[in-house]
Amino acid sequence: MALPFLPGQVFDRKIGKTKFHKTHQFDYRNDVSQYVGESKCGIGGDVLPGQKLNPRHSHFPKGVGPEAPSWVAFDRQVLCFDAYFQEAVHEKREEQYRIRRCKIYFYLEDDSIQVIEPKVENSGIPQGTLIRRHRIPLPPPGDEEFYTVEHFNVGKKMNFYSRIFKITGCDEFTHNFLRKLGVRVTPSSTTPSDPYSDHRKQIVGSMQPLRPYEKEDTLKQFLQYDRRVLRFYCLWDDSDSMFGDAREMILHYFLADDTVEIREVINPNAGRDAAPVFLRRQKLPKEPVPLHQPGEITGRTVLNVFGPMGHGGRWILDSLKTGAVHIDHYLDQDITLGSVINVWGRKFLVCDCDDFTKEFYRTKYGLDSFDSIKYKAPPHVFPPREIPPYNGFGSEEDSLCSCLSLIPKPPKRDFIKFMEKDRHGLESNVLRFMARMNTSRPIDMDRRFIISYFLSDDTILVFEPPQRNSGILGGKFLERGRIKKPDQDSYYVAQNLYIGANVQFFNHEFILVDADEYAVEYMEKHKYEFSKANMEHILPKLQSVADEHYEELKSVFSQNDVDNSGQISFPAFWSVLKRFGAGLSEHEMLTLCRYYAEEKADIGNLTMIIASVQEQLRKANFEDFTAMKEACQYEDINRTGTLEAKSLHNLCLRFKVPAKQELLDVILSQTERNDQGLVKYDHFLKLINWRDSPVSLQKIVPIQAPEAKPSEKIGPKDRVKVINYKNLLQQLLHSE
């Protein structure tokens, strides 16, 4: 009978309490004030009616582990327990229950549990992870709480989702950890055996032979001689058979397993199919053996002691192997130089071996002499290939390719030389010479030809300018191509062409009488390739003349130098060189004149050319001079006010200046330059600016200004005006 809930009739619940504070209901979370009193208790810590507290985690005493959160202090620390559970088996005669072993893992960082059952072979049961990792609640009625570390110990029974797990043991780490927590760890117990598993083991054990096969230990040989192969060079003389001949073979003996492989040496154009392997890798018997019946060759044999052949007979193991089939195979000691090997009825003569094989036999068997047998026939000497003469069709290189191979291929070009010497910008890489025919025929004596030599592919083009009232139709005289010298052994190269040279193109003899400015300048820039433009080769020729006729040479120069300025005119200097320089060619004489020249002749009337260009720009209403200056300043990175002549040439093309490019190049050549030879673009733009710097001439026809007759064109000789002969004499005296 309960007492009524009246004053004086009930016990005072405050007796023994020391805390009567009210719990904290408000707090800050992420710097935001929030109400946090859902999980807080009432006054004095009493649980309010209907309140559910958060499940607690494992409690570890102080001093065990570092003072840090559990997910930091116990990271990657797991308790491992050995357990089993019993599973009932219904409607089966062989077994009534099963004992299933498993592992229970308890993760200390978050109190999660994982149960794993090791896989058993041929069990037929889905095994592996039985319970995935998570926090497992306690069995009812305490299912509001979860398992913690205090619930685990050896010998306890754990109820995981109505399945009882019996813990039988743990590992060393788990044992030590529980002892540090103050838990008395129960000694490990044995797991009961599974009757059906024991029955299966008896069945499997009865199927194992009581006397197993004898094992041959080949692992030692494999580890010792792996990837070590003996190589022998053999000869198979098959001349006795029809259409047979001697064939070369290579025999490979693998020391790892005493197997043999044979490959055939097939020479090019032998007429045989290139089979990869003549004999596949196998053990080679010394005598050919027939194909055995199935079961005839086995690792063990039995003897019928007594009884019928069928059921009921008695059999014993033949330990002496009296009925075994023995086959002798070739080993390394059976193969020596000069021996004959029987390869399935084919006689192979061992003639030679490689250096590794010799070293192997020298080390293992103590052999010193390895006299090889000469089995190769002397190489067949083929007659030299006869190249038929050139028939005149196509180029000679193209015709030669049809004689070198069955399928003609185009001749290979020097692509690197083509890319380096091809035309780019102002560099044409074409040497042009004026030539005449070396003939006594009056009709051919006045003919002139332009010989163009292309440096990119060493080809020559001959063009004849048309002349009025000559009776000869001008045009292309010789197609562009490589031309052989009269000796028919070598081709003409750039060093064979110079002023004064005598060349012969297909029975037409030409004398080079002049060259353009680009050809002469190119030869002077590359003087080490062209000896006719190299002063180091020309001055020694004059040195012999100066040693004998120095005073006479000096007096001739003084007679032509009236004002004693040390300079004479070009015609006078040319006549002196012709008089004393008998061993010099015209090109060498021109190189001397240009080397010691003081100044060059003006290219026409520069003022007239500027006026002609400005008149053309004015008629086309071209006024992009400001944009051209801005483009020059953009390319002038260092702000020096200068650019290369090539850049200004391309600039005129980019802006489409409506004037002939030849006239612009002439103005560009006369523009002011700095010490490095760069053009001052402000001065160039000022010369062609018809609006700010106009140049006007009376009676000028701008259209006729760029037209120049071939006879009026200025050559390299016309550019030299005055020559300083004193520098030449001083250099000749200094060289003495």
Side-chain angles (χ1 to χ4, degrees):
M1 179 176 179
L3 296 176
F5 190 70
L6 296 174
Q9 301 295 326
V10 296
F11 295 99
D12 190 1
R13 298 181 180 180
K14 299 180 181 179
I15 297 176
K17 284 191 175 182
T18 59
K19 295 182 180 179
F20 298 95
H21 67 279
K22 190 175 183 181
T23 56
H24 192 64
Q25 302 292 321
F26 296 92
D27 204 347
Y28 285 91
R29 291 181 180 177
N30 298 328
D31 297 335
V32 178
S33 58
Q34 293 181 357
Y35 174 72
V36 294
E38 300 91 347
S39 60
K40 298 296 182 69
C41 299
I43 297 176
D46 296 335
V47 180
L48 299 176
Q51 184 181 16
K52 292 184 179 181
L53 299 179
N54 292 332
R56 64 184 183 89
H57 287 266
S58 298
H59 176 70
F60 301 100
K62 293 183 178 180
V64 181
E67 294 183 0
S70 60
W71 54 273
V72 176
F74 300 109
D75 184 27
R76 298 184 182 181
Q77 295 187 13
V78 185
L79 303 183
C80 179
F81 298 92
D82 297 327
Y84 73 93
F85 66 95
Q86 182 175 335
E87 182 182 26
V89 179
H90 304 284
E91 298 180 358
K92 193 172 183 181
R93 185 186 65 177
E94 290 83 1
E95 55 178 344
Q96 287 74 34
Y97 65 92
R98 296 193 188 106
I99 301 298
R100 300 176 61 176
R101 296 176 176 85
C102 58
K103 294 279 188 180
I104 299 176
Y105 295 100
F106 183 85
Y107 294 86
L108 296 173
E109 56 180 326
D110 56 355
D111 293 349
S112 58
I113 300 174
Q114 183 182 15
V115 181
I116 296 177
E117 180 182 10
K119 293 184 178 181
V120 179
E121 186 179 3
N122 297 328
S123 64
I125 302 174
Q127 295 173 326
T129 302
L130 295 182
I131 302 177
R132 62 178 179 84
R133 178 182 173 182
H134 67 289
R135 296 194 68 187
I136 300 177
L138 295 173
D143 52 353
E144 296 180 355
E145 296 290 334
F146 295 91
Y147 280 100
T148 60
V149 71
E150 293 87 356
H151 296 90
F152 286 87
N153 197 353
V154 178
K156 283 190 175 183
K157 294 183 179 180
M158 313 298 295
N159 187 351
F160 296 158
Y161 300 110
S162 301
R163 178 170 287 180
I164 307 301
F165 292 85
K166 177 68 178 295
I167 300 177
T168 59
C170 63
D171 59 358
E172 184 178 1
F173 172 77
T174 306
H175 185 273
N176 295 335
F177 189 84
L178 293 178
R179 290 188 60 188
K180 290 180 181 180
L181 293 179
V183 179
R184 180 177 295 178
V185 181
T186 309
S188 301
S189 60
T190 59
T191 304
S193 60
D194 185 15
Y196 184 71
S197 299
D198 298 339
H199 178 65
R200 288 290 301 272
K201 288 181 181 178
Q202 292 178 2
I203 296 175
V204 174
S206 63
M207 296 189 324
Q208 298 295 330
L210 299 178
R211 296 185 61 180
Y213 289 94
E214 292 81 2
K215 293 184 179 180
E216 296 181 2
D217 187 12
T218 59
L219 180 61
K220 179 181 177 181
Q221 181 182 1
F222 173 78
L223 296 177
Q224 184 178 1
Y225 295 110
D226 185 27
R227 296 191 179 185
R228 295 189 179 183
V229 183
L230 305 181
R231 177 181 294 179
F232 299 91
Y233 300 97
C234 306
L235 179 66
W236 174 34
D237 191 1
D238 192 31
S239 303
D240 296 340
S241 61
M242 185 179 295
F243 307 113
D245 56 352
R247 300 166 68 174
E248 300 177 14
M249 302 288 175
I250 296 179
L251 186 145
H252 294 154
Y253 185 88
F254 297 87
L255 295 172
D257 54 357
D258 299 328
T259 54
V260 174
E261 179 190 63
I262 300 178
R263 293 179 177 269
E264 184 178 3
V265 180
I266 300 178
N267 298 321
N269 301 325
R272 298 183 181 274
D273 293 335
V277 179
F278 183 80
L279 179 67
R280 65 177 179 84
R281 182 176 175 179
Q282 58 181 299
K283 286 191 175 184
L284 181 63
K286 293 183 178 180
E287 295 294 336
V289 294
L291 184 63
H292 296 279
Q293 297 296 329
E296 186 175 356
I297 298 179
T298 179
R300 59 194 299 175
T301 57
V302 293
L303 299 177
N304 186 6
V305 180
F306 62 87
M309 294 295 295
H311 182 70
R314 297 288 181 174
W315 307 86
I316 63 173
L317 183 65
D318 184 10
S319 59
L320 300 178
K321 298 183 179 181
T322 57
V325 179
H326 298 280
I327 301 176
D328 293 334
H329 298 89
Y330 279 104
L331 301 178
D332 53 352
Q333 63 265 22
D334 300 327
I335 306 175
T336 57
L337 296 184
S339 62
V340 178
I341 300 176
N342 186 1
V343 182
W344 298 101
R346 299 169 178 84
K347 304 299 181 180
F348 279 68
L349 176 63
V350 181
C351 301
D352 199 359
C353 59
D354 59 356
D355 296 336
F356 172 76
T357 306
K358 295 178 181 178
E359 185 64 26
F360 175 79
Y361 278 93
R362 187 182 295 110
T363 304
K364 186 174 181 179
Y365 299 105
L367 299 179
D368 294 331
S369 61
F370 298 94
D371 298 332
S372 59
I373 301 175
K374 295 182 179 180
Y375 63 97
K376 292 185 177 180
H380 181 68
V381 180
F382 293 94
R385 178 181 294 175
E386 296 182 2
I387 304 299
Y390 177 55
N391 54 9
F393 291 95
S395 62
E396 188 169 354
E397 294 83 0
D398 193 17
S399 300
L400 183 62
C401 291
S402 61
C403 303
L404 300 178
S405 61
L406 184 61
I407 301 176
K409 298 180 180 179
K412 294 184 178 180
R413 300 175 58 184
D414 191 351
F415 187 73
I416 298 178
K417 181 178 180 181
F418 175 76
M419 294 300 295
E420 291 178 353
K421 299 297 182 180
D422 193 20
R423 180 185 181 93
H424 52 87
L426 297 177
E427 294 291 333
S428 62
N429 287 316
V430 180
L431 307 182
R432 294 181 176 86
F433 298 89
M434 179 69 72
R436 64 176 178 85
M437 279 190 175
N438 188 10
T439 180
S440 58
R441 295 178 58 188
I443 192 173
D444 294 334
M445 294 179 63
D446 294 335
R447 299 174 66 181
R448 293 295 179 266
F449 302 89
I450 298 177
I451 300 177
S452 301
Y453 184 88
F454 297 86
L455 297 171
S456 59
D457 53 358
D458 299 329
T459 55
I460 297 176
L461 172 66
V462 181
F463 181 81
E464 183 179 7
Q467 299 182 15
R468 298 183 62 181
N469 299 328
S470 62
I472 298 175
L473 184 64
K476 187 184 295 184
F477 183 80
L478 181 62
E479 186 70 29
R480 177 180 175 179
R482 298 182 66 187
I483 302 177
K484 272 194 171 183
K485 294 181 180 180
D487 54 4
Q488 297 293 327
D489 292 335
S490 58
Y491 291 90
Y492 277 104
V493 294
Q495 287 76 11
N496 302 130
L497 303 181
Y498 55 88
I499 300 176
N502 192 342
V503 294
Q504 184 176 353
F505 299 158
F506 302 107
N507 297 329
H508 292 276
E509 191 173 354
F510 297 92
I511 298 178
L512 307 185
V513 296
D514 200 358
D516 62 351
E517 180 66 21
Y518 177 79
V520 177
E521 287 186 0
Y522 182 87
M523 297 172 73
E524 291 176 354
K525 289 180 181 178
H526 304 80
K527 59 182 180 180
Y528 295 104
E529 300 178 11
F530 300 90
S531 60
K532 302 298 180 180
N534 192 354
M535 293 297 298
E536 297 178 0
H537 293 79
I538 299 174
L539 287 179
K541 296 181 180 180
L542 283 178
Q543 188 64 44
S544 59
V545 179
D547 294 341
E548 299 177 2
H549 309 283
Y550 180 77
E551 295 298 334
E552 184 180 0
L553 184 63
K554 185 176 180 181
S555 62
V556 172
F557 281 138
S558 301
Q559 292 176 5
N560 291 281
D561 186 11
V562 181
D563 53 356
N564 196 18
S565 61
Q567 300 176 357
I568 61 176
S569 62
F570 172 75
F573 190 80
W574 188 268
S575 62
V576 173
L577 290 180
K578 277 193 172 183
R579 177 179 174 183
F580 293 96
L584 297 178
S585 63
E586 291 190 18
H587 199 106
E588 293 174 335
M589 295 166 57
L590 178 61
T591 303
L592 276 172
C593 297
R594 292 168 62 89
Y595 185 79
Y596 293 103
E598 287 292 333
E599 62 182 18
K600 298 181 180 180
D602 295 334
I603 306 175
N605 191 348
L606 181 61
T607 306
M608 185 179 68
I609 295 177
I610 295 173
S612 175
V613 170
Q614 288 188 1
E615 183 67 18
Q616 294 182 24
L617 299 183
R618 186 186 64 80
K619 288 185 176 181
N621 198 17
F622 181 81
E623 296 181 351
D624 292 341
F625 303 106
T626 304
M628 293 179 67
K629 185 175 182 180
E630 292 176 355
C632 293
Q633 292 175 352
Y634 178 77
E635 294 185 8
D636 185 12
I637 301 176
N638 299 325
R639 297 293 186 267
T640 58
T642 57
L643 288 176
E644 295 183 357
K646 179 181 177 181
S647 300
L648 291 175
H649 175 86
N650 296 334
L651 183 69
C652 295
L653 295 177
R654 188 163 68 247
F655 279 89
K656 298 180 180 180
V657 179
K660 288 198 172 184
Q661 196 64 37
E662 292 81 1
L663 298 181
L664 293 174
D665 292 340
V666 171
I667 298 175
L668 194 60
S669 62
Q670 300 297 321
T671 309
E672 297 179 0
R673 300 172 181 259
N674 61 357
D675 299 336
Q676 288 78 20
L678 300 178
V679 180
K680 297 181 179 180
Y681 53 82
D682 289 336
H683 185 231
F684 173 72
L685 296 177
K686 182 179 179 181
L687 292 179
I688 64 175
N689 194 339
W690 60 272
R691 183 171 291 280
D692 297 339
S693 303
V695 176
S696 61
L697 292 177
Q698 296 180 356
K699 299 180 181 181
I700 181 170
V701 182
I703 301 177
Q704 298 179 357
E707 300 295 337
K709 298 180 180 180
S711 60
E712 297 178 357
K713 290 184 178 179
I714 300 174
K717 298 180 181 179
D718 300 329
R719 295 178 181 272
V720 183
K721 185 177 181 182
V722 178
I723 300 170
N724 192 335
Y725 69 90
K726 286 189 176 182
N727 293 338
L728 174 61
L729 295 177
Q730 290 177 3
Q731 193 163 359
L732 292 176
L733 289 174
H734 180 69
S735 60
E736 290 180 1

